[in-house]
Amino acid sequence: MKLSALNLRQRDGVTCGPTVVVVAGALLDPGYRAAMSDPAWFAGEQARVHAEVNRVWPRRLGTTPAGMSHALTRHGGGVRYRWRLFHGRLDRLSDVQCAVEAGRPVAMLIGRFIPRHWVLILEAAENQWQAYEPSSGAVRSVEVAAVRRSRLSGLGYPRPFAFVLPRPSTRSATS
């Protein structure tokens, strides 16, 4: 699915998180993806997801990492998501890299001094990721080294704060 060509933009200044959830759901579920071509559905689905993930937290403050984790689990095709903080220059980011290489998008919360904006990491190469930026609807290249150094460019804010990614697989008691 070519996201850039679809011009999928967040509907207002506080729905970056729900927009990331809707796009991730479309990437993971072909049935959900089928509705993406309807702009009215896309805007309405952002509003529905925003209400779903922010039942207690004020919507004007955006989506919390816990809310993002819950929403991606609901729309993640049977995969449970969790959130974790960014650990600065020491963060190996190997869990993010592995998830994206396995075809599971990862949400990244970014900001300057405080967390402000959600983006979605879609694809991974050895030193670079492709990230969907919902305020513009664009897919932008991000160097992994820039993530580690908190010097992101092209996404609106320079610093990662948290990641929402699939939980590690657990072995069953019978295996």
Side-chain angles (χ1 to χ4, degrees):
M1 180 164 92
K2 285 282 191 192
L3 287 179
S4 294
L6 295 175
N7 195 30
L8 302 173
R9 297 178 67 178
Q10 68 188 67
R11 60 188 242 137
D12 58 37
V14 294
T15 54
C16 56
T19 305
V20 160
V21 170
V22 173
V23 169
L27 292 170
L28 298 168
D29 179 355
Y32 197 66
R33 182 181 318 136
M36 294 292 282
S37 61
D38 179 2
W41 177 88
F42 185 65
E45 189 65 358
Q46 289 176 54
R48 189 191 68 73
V49 170
H50 203 192
E52 175 186 297
V53 299
N54 290 348
R55 293 186 192 273
V56 177
W57 185 255
R59 288 184 197 151
R60 70 183 181 282
L61 297 179
T63 304
T64 65
M68 178 62 75
S69 176
H70 172 75
L72 286 176
T73 295
R74 283 191 65 141
H75 296 276
V79 173
R80 293 183 53 88
Y81 275 74
R82 65 177 174 90
W83 73 275
R84 73 160 178 89
L85 292 173
F86 170 61
H87 303 295
R89 291 181 188 260
L90 300 177
D91 199 327
R92 297 187 56 214
L93 301 170
S94 57
D95 54 350
V96 175
Q97 183 80 15
C98 288
V100 177
E101 285 176 351
R104 295 286 174 187
V106 173
M108 179 170 60
L109 180 59
I110 61 175
R112 184 172 311 282
F113 303 111
I114 59 171
R116 304 274 315 199
H117 189 55
W118 286 102
V119 298
L120 188 65
I121 303 166
L122 306 168
E123 296 177 19
E126 189 171 319
N127 297 313
Q128 191 166 293
W129 295 336
Q130 297 298 308
Y132 165 70
E133 195 287 301
S135 66
S136 67
V139 176
R140 304 222 163 96
S141 294
V142 177
E143 290 183 25
V144 176
V147 175
R148 280 194 193 97
R149 292 189 322 267
S150 294
R151 293 182 186 236
L152 296 169
S153 62
L155 298 178
Y157 296 95
R159 179 175 180 234
F161 282 88
F163 296 95
V164 179
L165 59 160
R167 290 182 185 269
S169 298
T170 54
R171 300 176 91 162
S172 70
T174 59
S175 58

